[in-house]
Amino acid sequence: MSCEVLALTEELINRQSVTPEDAGCQQLMAEYLAPLGFDIESMVFDDTTNMWARKGASGPVFCFAGHTDVVPSGPAEKWTFPPFTATQHEGQLYGRGAADMKGSLAAMLVATKAFVTKHPEHTGSIAFLITSDEEGPFINGTTRVIDTLEARNEKMTWCLVGEPSSTTLIGDVVKNGRRGSLTGDITVKGVQGHVAYPHLAKNPIHLSAPAFAELVQTHWDNGNASFPPTSFQVSNINSGTGAGNVIPGDLSACFNFRFSTEVTDKQLIERVTSILDKYDFDYHIGWTFNGQPFLTDSGKLVEATQGAIKDVTGRETELSTAGGTSDGRFIAPTGAQVIELGPVNATIHKIDENVNIKDLAELAKIYEGILQRLLA
């Protein structure tokens, strides 16, 4: 198992699948799954390649979900080893996507083969939902596949997303939910003028600064046992002409909410609008809704995952909803129980991304253990 997981991870890393390119990764996965009895369905939407693979026609349905795309490597010369050439060094495997999340994909494949070989007549179905746009705009990937599956009433019972959830040791943290995400893009209109004649201009920076200060200081909610309080962060502010003696004519800014189940996106929009309107300036705001919060706080999937981790590693796992968003936000609304479990996330999206080679084999054993507990 160890050698096979490593070899598959290396082969996937060597394919330069920067969003939304798949670079043949899904074809490799399909060729691995087809002999195991999986029906392979390729779903291509615009620039994005997706794969839905399923073995079995009855429920319950266990689905491995993940993505073949990776973020850009950045300057290749800053890497110790070439980012798209998988390299083993001192027990680690280096390469873009090693941890996020080609190692998980390889572990899923090997775990599935091991399980199906031992249990060819297993109960229910095993499925794979794989996309090439998770790191990108998430328009034509998992969300489109879910729309297709929903239209034909094809449901998942349990879904394991292979995102790198572990913090220090494999399996020490499992994500059993995620916060919601809402982005606002605002343009504030002023009047450009000379700094020596401010009465003839309207400075959009000055006009909007008190409103931004109030937004930053606002307490949105208290969170709850599963989620921290809602967070508001300004991520970009742009204004000015580049000259020190010109009052700018407009300002643009971007901010984001990561919100708990204690508040809705509609309530956040209403509260932001109310604050902005208090300060009587001309603005336009556009909203991008990135996903609702979701939570799988208990159930067979959580129990099977905790038990499999304990069996393989001997350690207890922590359930957490911290971190960014994942494609789990598109799957959970269908009614599926969703968790995220993958490698240590210390180097994801970084120069010299890497994964512990022994962790890959342990991850495959954990995945197999979850299948064993749910479908054997």
Side-chain angles (χ1 to χ4, degrees):
M1 178 178 280
S2 166
C3 293
E4 191 170 10
V5 179
L6 177 59
L8 280 169
T9 305
E10 289 178 328
E11 191 164 356
L12 289 167
I13 290 171
N14 291 340
R15 297 176 185 235
Q16 192 167 336
S17 55
V18 177
T19 308
E21 295 298 324
D22 171 70
C25 291
Q26 290 176 33
Q27 181 62 34
L28 173 67
M29 296 181 70
E31 290 171 356
Y32 190 96
L33 291 170
L36 301 178
F38 280 80
D39 294 320
I40 311 297
E41 184 177 358
S42 182
M43 298 185 188
V44 179
F45 301 114
D46 295 330
D47 60 353
T48 300
T49 303
N50 306 287
M51 182 182 76
W52 173 249
R54 179 168 174 170
K55 178 183 182 295
S58 63
V61 179
F62 177 91
C63 179
F64 284 116
H67 60 91
T68 53
D69 60 316
V70 298
V71 295
S73 66
E77 64 275 10
K78 292 188 177 181
W79 285 66
T80 304
F81 309 104
F84 294 102
T85 301
T87 305
Q88 299 180 42
H89 179 69
E90 296 182 349
Q92 302 293 117
L93 180 64
Y94 287 77
R96 176 58 86 219
D100 189 13
M101 55 176 288
K102 293 183 174 180
S104 295
L105 297 179
M108 291 172 182
L109 293 172
V110 173
T112 300
K113 180 180 178 181
F115 176 76
V116 169
T117 300
K118 296 172 185 174
H119 303 281
E121 303 300 323
H122 61 81
T123 60
S125 301
I126 306 173
F128 280 73
L129 194 171
I130 309 298
T131 185
S132 70
D133 93 331
E134 196 275 344
E135 300 288 9
F138 57 82
I139 295 172
N140 295 308
T142 298
T143 181
R144 292 284 297 272
V145 177
I146 289 296
D147 288 344
T148 302
L149 297 177
E150 286 287 285
R152 61 196 195 200
N153 199 32
E154 193 168 358
K155 297 281 190 178
M156 305 173 205
T157 311
W158 307 296
C159 182
L160 187 154
V161 185
E163 290 293 343
S165 64
S166 304
T167 301
T168 305
L169 300 168
I170 195 73
D172 61 355
V173 175
V174 168
K175 299 295 175 66
N176 67 324
R178 293 284 193 168
R179 294 173 292 175
S181 177
L182 176 68
T183 299
D185 290 283
I186 185 171
T187 300
V188 179
K189 293 295 183 182
V191 176
Q192 184 174 307
H194 197 294
V195 296
Y197 302 94
H199 60 289
L200 300 177
K202 287 185 178 179
N203 192 321
I205 301 173
H206 294 184
L207 291 171
S208 60
F212 279 114
E214 182 170 346
L215 288 169
V216 169
Q217 294 165 8
T218 295
H219 181 76
W220 304 95
D221 61 50
N222 294 319
N224 53 40
S226 299
F227 291 93
T230 292
S231 166
F232 171 87
Q233 290 294 317
V234 177
S235 52
N236 281 287
I237 292 183
N238 295 287
S239 190
T241 65
N245 59 351
V246 178
I247 294 170
D250 54 53
L251 173 148
S252 62
C254 178
F255 56 84
N256 179 267
F257 285 99
R258 294 301 165 99
F259 60 98
S260 75
T261 50
E262 296 297 305
V263 68
T264 67
D265 53 301
K266 182 180 179 181
Q267 289 171 329
L268 291 173
I269 290 172
E270 289 174 349
R271 291 179 66 183
V272 168
T273 302
S274 176
I275 290 171
L276 294 174
D277 288 346
K278 283 168 50 178
Y279 292 92
D280 191 28
F281 55 82
D282 185 10
Y283 73 91
H284 175 268
I285 190 165
W287 297 96
T288 302
F289 176 61
N290 306 305
Q292 293 284 6
F294 70 89
L295 180 68
T296 302
D297 58 348
S298 61
K300 289 185 177 180
L301 180 59
V302 169
E303 293 169 5
T305 302
Q306 291 173 319
I309 291 170
K310 180 74 170 179
D311 287 348
V312 174
T313 69
R315 67 180 63 99
E316 304 291 339
T317 190
E318 174 191 350
L319 298 177
S320 170
T321 61
T325 59
S326 79
D327 276 359
R329 69 192 187 275
F330 303 125
I331 300 167
T334 69
Q337 296 176 28
V338 180
I339 60 103
E340 300 171 26
L341 170 61
V344 173
N345 55 28
T347 64
I348 60 173
H349 292 206
K350 292 184 178 181
I351 299 293
D352 285 342
E353 179 181 351
N354 65 86
V355 65
N356 184 279
I357 293 171
K358 290 182 179 178
D359 283 355
L360 293 175
E362 283 201 339
L363 186 61
K365 290 177 183 176
I366 292 169
Y367 287 166
E368 183 187 356
I370 295 170
L371 290 170
Q372 174 75 27
R373 286 168 175 266
L374 293 174
L375 297 180

